[in-house]
Amino acid sequence: MNFTLPTRIVNAFRKGLLLSFTCMAFSCQETDKTADTPLAEAETAASLTDTTGMRPAPTFFVIPPDLAEKRVWICENTASDLFHVQHDCPVLVECKGKGSFRNLTIVRAIEDFGRYNCQTCSEGLNHIFDEELVR
């Protein structure tokens, strides 16, 4: 007894087989090792950070209890080490398109992200980082 498949099924199977072999052939191609990779981009970003003069994270800060829950804005990019009190601060607005914005507590901005206060919108918070201030 001979069993024959309808021609439509045979043609669909041939096309599927041809497509799978083509995909396998292209997936086995060696990639260019000089192409931009996430690691190369991270190294480039790290080298840019060094040239922008970012300060190291603050080692001394005192946050008064009344400011502990204050929320501030930061720009998450490789060139900013500031937190901002105002969401429309001109320095923060410059970040648009260069990084993402985050709103978090002032404690977390300093402890976890190593940020200093912006001298444009939060100059009144200089006392947080003043070691010589009598408290």
Side-chain angles (χ1 to χ4, degrees), residues 5-19:
L5 293 173
T7 33
R8 283 188 168 178
I9 295 175
V10 172
N11 286 340
F13 181 72
R14 284 182 187 158
K15 288 179 184 177
L17 195 58
L18 179 63
L19 179 65

Side-chain angles (χ1 to χ4, degrees), residues 47-114:
S47 66
L48 289 175
T49 301
D50 295 338
T51 59
T52 58
M54 279 185 61
R55 299 172 283 188
T59 56
F60 176 85
F61 58 92
V62 175
I63 300 174
D66 59 324
L67 289 178
E69 294 300 315
K70 180 154 185 70
R71 302 206 52 96
V72 295
W73 291 89
I74 65 169
C75 175
E76 280 191 297
N77 66 7
T78 58
S80 178
D81 64 352
L82 300 174
F83 66 80
H84 306 271
V85 176
Q86 299 173 351
H87 72 280
D88 58 348
C89 175
V91 179
L92 182 63
V93 172
E94 288 177 11
C95 176
K96 189 172 187 175
K98 300 175 187 172
S100 59
F101 298 98
R102 289 192 69 176
N103 183 292
L104 38 97
T105 63
I106 192 169
V107 175
R108 185 150 186 245
I110 296 171
E111 288 180 351
D112 296 346
F113 292 92

Side-chain angles (χ1 to χ4, degrees), residues 108-126:
R108 185 150 186 245
I110 296 171
E111 288 180 351
D112 296 346
F113 292 92
R115 302 302 175 111
Y116 294 89
N117 62 313
C118 173
Q119 293 302 309
T120 304
C121 67
S122 57
E123 188 175 4
L125 298 177
N126 285 340

